[in-house]
Amino acid sequence: MAGLTAANKLYTSTTDFELYVVEGGSRIGGRIQSSEFCGDRIETGATWIHGIEGSPIYKIAQEESLLSSHQPWECMGGLSRNPVTLAEGGHHLSPSLVQPISTLFKNLIKSIEGKPVDDAFSETVELCAGGNVTVGSFLRKGFEVYVGKGESKLLEEGVFAMLENTHRGLTAVDDLETLDCATEREYKMFPGEEITIARGYSQVIESLASVLPEGTIQLGRRVQKIEWHDGSAVELHFSDGSCLSADHVIVTVSLGVLKHGASSMFEPPLPSSKIGAISRLGFGVLNKVFLELPPSHDHCEFPFMQMVFHPTNSEQRDPNIPDWIRRTCWFYPIYRNSRVVLSWFAGKEAIEIESLSEDEITNGFSTTASNLLSSKLKFENVLRTQWSTDPLFLGSYSHVPVGSSGDDMDTLSEPLPQTKLKILFAGEATHRTHYGTTHGAFISGLREANRLLKHYNISVAE
């Protein structure tokens, strides 16, 4: 997204540049990849437009007529506003139990984000405030204050743990204790509803690439080293032994790739300040598992399910439900009456499912769904994403953990050298307030293209 956005902007602004987009893989789009599963359009990477008011992604989707399709697509009706909450053992939890805990959680998150909370929760929030606290500890303290310390409320605890897992999925972290409340307040979202793209997120990428001349995009060219010695051109060295010289290079590889190889990728090495920023910033893993309901199952009856599990020390735990599934929270049809159901995994469980066999995944979900629905169910086909082991990405998206700050993202975004702009950096991890999003990647690509245009005194259209 960032690289193609920059190339699009540069090409449409001037004919003075000779442009190349070099891509290590066999396709464009990076962590955006639309696909099909059992006849339905799905997203194996980025899924949502996070707020439509002011979003550049939404603008492109509108202009390119991407928001409607005759073919069904993932979350075409949005997420259900009336999920069914099922607890291990087949217990249907009443909204009267779930809703107060859910409202509490939403208000605690609003407080973390620096937004006003409902009057009913202001005292709870005040009692949690003070000191440098993590997101995890703040949420837990809020729960304890609300339900009363020392009281045994296992169902409320289970519901709250489910909501914590929801937030782990949104942030792609393994443990909410790694997130700092203070830095979370810098994160911004565009206003308005969150939607998916009917014709597929990849069509946004195709739109950006469509203006570029044939031959501009070069696939299968994996960069191994970038030489940027003073007084000479930047040299890109590829895995096949070939080289490419350039006056400027915009680096848009993922933070995961930088964490893995930045120390050896650049010659001379990156400044210690940039290496430090790369080291301190967080890069999480989020994976999706799509499963097909069997023909014998009435897919019209499969609910949008929120899953609540017994705690580790409970004697009521079903030993047949695998541990890797106990820290996910949602399990739902990708649209109403679809035969395809979806679940999300973050952190170490997201990494673990990448190494499981397809039979292990289908059996695990079949056992879990049968337990929760009190009805025998056997899933058939499965498709799971594997972002942590893909060498071109090594994860999903960035976050700002304890010990880091938005300053590290600013440092990562700084060009080298500042005056000559030999190497520029773009990508979602370089945007201080919109990290972890496609629009953050888009905006960062525009930022670096504009930086180059201004460097050559070329007027920049807003």
Side-chain angles (χ1 to χ4, degrees), residues 394-412:
L394 300 177
S396 302
Y397 49 85
S398 61
H399 59 271
V400 184
V402 173
S404 182
S405 72
D407 292 345
D408 285 331
M409 290 187 164
D410 289 343
T411 298
L412 181 55

Side-chain angles (χ1 to χ4, degrees), residues 313-420:
N313 58 357
S314 173
E315 295 180 356
Q316 301 178 60
R317 279 167 65 101
D318 184 340
N320 296 311
I321 295 178
D323 288 341
W324 53 263
I325 212 169
R326 290 180 175 274
R327 291 183 78 206
T328 187
C329 50
W330 288 340
F331 195 26
Y332 57 91
I334 63 170
Y335 59 86
R336 188 176 181 183
N337 299 337
S338 174
R339 300 202 68 85
V340 177
V341 293
L342 166 65
S343 192
W344 302 67
F345 290 83
K348 66 180 183 180
E349 287 78 20
I351 296 171
E352 183 176 355
I353 64 165
E354 297 191 23
S355 64
L356 298 176
S357 68
E358 291 189 354
D359 283 344
E360 286 175 308
I361 294 174
T362 55
N363 290 338
F365 272 102
S366 297
T367 298
T368 303
S370 298
N371 179 291
L372 295 170
L373 295 169
S374 299
S375 175
K376 190 70 174 177
L377 183 60
K378 176 65 176 176
F379 291 103
E380 298 188 341
N381 296 319
V382 60
L383 185 154
R384 40 83 190 277
T385 60
Q386 296 176 295
W387 291 106
S388 79
T389 50
D390 189 318
L392 297 178
F393 308 104
L394 300 177
S396 302
Y397 49 85
S398 61
H399 59 271
V400 184
V402 173
S404 182
S405 72
D407 292 345
D408 285 331
M409 290 187 164
D410 289 343
T411 298
L412 181 55
S413 71
E414 293 172 357
L416 297 172
Q418 288 277 1
T419 54
K420 297 182 180 179

Side-chain angles (χ1 to χ4, degrees), residues 223-229 234 236 249 251 253 258 261-271 274-275 278 416 423-425:
V223 176
Q224 286 194 324
K225 187 173 284 291
I226 301 174
E227 293 187 357
W228 57 289
H229 295 284
V234 182
L236 298 180
V249 173
V251 176
V253 297
L258 289 175
S263 60
S264 59
M265 187 186 300
F266 298 89
E267 180 60 42
L270 296 177
K274 199 175 286 283
I275 291 293
I278 292 168
L416 297 172
I423 304 179
L424 305 94
F425 294 84

Side-chain angles (χ1 to χ4, degrees), residues 56 58-67:
Y58 182 68
K59 182 180 179 182
I60 294 172
Q62 274 190 314
E63 292 173 347
E64 298 295 323
S65 302
L66 304 180
L67 298 176

Side-chain angles (χ1 to χ4, degrees), residues 92-114:
H92 189 298
L93 300 188
S94 167
S96 63
L97 168 69
V98 177
Q99 194 58 43
I101 302 300
S102 179
T103 304
L104 164 69
F105 193 88
K106 290 176 182 176
N107 275 273
L108 291 172
I109 293 296
K110 285 199 292 185
S111 175
I112 290 170
E113 295 172 345

